[in-house]
Amino acid sequence: MFEILNSLPLQGISKRLHMDHTELCINGEKAYFWGVLCPATRLIVGWHLSRSKEIEHARCVLWNAKERFPLGYELKEIVTDGEQGFPRAIWEVFDHSVKHYRYKGFVDKKNNNTIETLWNFTNFIPKFVSFEQARKFFEIWVAVYNIKRSRQLAESDEAYKIMQTIKIWT
C-alpha cells in the first residue's frame, strides 16, 4: 500500500526542487537517506536509501522523483549543496534542460535550508538492525509525511478561500 502511495504523481509541486542526502546509522554502519523536496509544498518528491554516496544513488533519487511528476510538469531548476556528483547526476537524468544551482551558504536567497531542516527528523527515528528494516520504515514514513503535508496544504488552502470570501462580503 505504501509503495503505491509513494508512486502516485504529486500535484502542485514547484518548478524548483531541492536535493540532498543525510547520513544514518544502520546496525553500526553508515547509510544515506537521499531526498528531493519541493520548497513550496514541502512534499518529498523522491527518496532513496543507500549504503554509499556514489553518483548512482544521486541518479536513483532523481529518477524516483521524476516518476512522481504530474503529466505536463516541467522542472526548471534543482538546488543542491556543494556535493560534487550532483551536477552530473542532474544532467544525466534531465539532460541539460534542468538548471543546477549550487547554493552558496545560508545567506543565499536560493539556499537549501528547507531540505536541511527536514533532516532534523533523523534525531527521532528508531535504531535499525537491517537495511531492509530501514527501507520499509522510510517507505511508510515518506507516505505518511506526504499525506499529512497534503492535508495541511488542503486545509490552509480552504481557510484561505474562506477568508477571501469573508473579505468580499465585508
Side-chain angles (χ1 to χ4, degrees), residues 98-166:
V98 173
K99 182 180 171 188
H100 172 245
Y101 183 85
R102 181 177 288 164
Y103 84 99
K104 298 160 186 71
F106 291 103
V107 295
D108 193 342
K109 287 184 180 179
K110 286 190 209 176
N111 57 49
N112 236 16
N113 292 354
T114 307
I115 197 163
E116 294 290 349
T117 303
L118 179 66
W119 298 150
N120 290 336
F121 82 89
T122 59
N123 298 326
F124 305 102
I125 60 173
K127 299 221 183 277
F128 302 114
V129 294
S130 71
F131 192 81
E132 184 60 21
Q133 180 191 36
R135 192 196 62 72
K136 287 178 182 178
F137 171 85
F138 285 113
E139 185 175 291
I140 295 167
W141 184 85
V142 169
V144 171
Y145 173 88
N146 279 346
I147 289 169
K148 185 177 178 182
R149 280 298 302 151
S150 295
R151 184 174 177 170
Q152 289 170 339
L153 291 166
E155 288 172 357
S156 65
D157 187 49
E158 188 63 31
Y160 176 78
K161 288 176 184 174
I162 291 168
M163 292 304 290
Q164 291 302 313
T165 305
I166 292 170

Side-chain angles (χ1 to χ4, degrees), residues 24-170:
L24 305 170
C25 186
I26 299 175
N27 201 21
E29 296 181 15
K30 285 184 181 180
Y32 301 90
F33 180 82
W34 300 73
V36 175
L37 187 79
C38 171
T41 63
R42 294 184 181 239
L43 292 171
I44 297 173
V45 183
W47 69 277
H48 176 68
L49 191 63
S50 71
R51 291 184 172 102
S52 69
K53 293 196 301 185
E54 304 294 323
I55 190 170
E56 68 197 58
H57 301 295
R59 283 192 301 262
C60 187
V61 73
L62 290 169
W63 277 113
N64 290 345
K66 191 174 183 179
E67 290 175 359
R68 306 241 11 227
F69 293 170
L71 192 61
Y73 173 78
E74 201 173 308
L75 179 63
K76 299 284 186 196
E77 182 176 55
I78 296 181
V79 179
T80 69
D81 58 17
E83 191 72 33
Q84 295 298 317
F86 286 170
R88 181 174 170 198
I90 293 166
W91 295 329
E92 288 180 8
V93 173
F94 297 104
D95 297 320
H96 289 279
S97 61
V98 173
K99 182 180 171 188
H100 172 245
Y101 183 85
R102 181 177 288 164
Y103 84 99
K104 298 160 186 71
F106 291 103
V107 295
D108 193 342
K109 287 184 180 179
K110 286 190 209 176
N111 57 49
N112 236 16
N113 292 354
T114 307
I115 197 163
E116 294 290 349
T117 303
L118 179 66
W119 298 150
N120 290 336
F121 82 89
T122 59
N123 298 326
F124 305 102
I125 60 173
K127 299 221 183 277
F128 302 114
V129 294
S130 71
F131 192 81
E132 184 60 21
Q133 180 191 36
R135 192 196 62 72
K136 287 178 182 178
F137 171 85
F138 285 113
E139 185 175 291
I140 295 167
W141 184 85
V142 169
V144 171
Y145 173 88
N146 279 346
I147 289 169
K148 185 177 178 182
R149 280 298 302 151
S150 295
R151 184 174 177 170
Q152 289 170 339
L153 291 166
E155 288 172 357
S156 65
D157 187 49
E158 188 63 31
Y160 176 78
K161 288 176 184 174
I162 291 168
M163 292 304 290
Q164 291 302 313
T165 305
I166 292 170
K167 192 175 184 181
I168 291 170
W169 291 346
T170 58

Side-chain angles (χ1 to χ4, degrees), residues 3-16:
E3 187 176 335
I4 293 168
L5 289 173
N6 284 328
S7 66
L8 295 173
L10 293 171
Q11 301 299 320
I13 55 177
S14 67
K15 302 290 184 187
R16 175 188 301 143

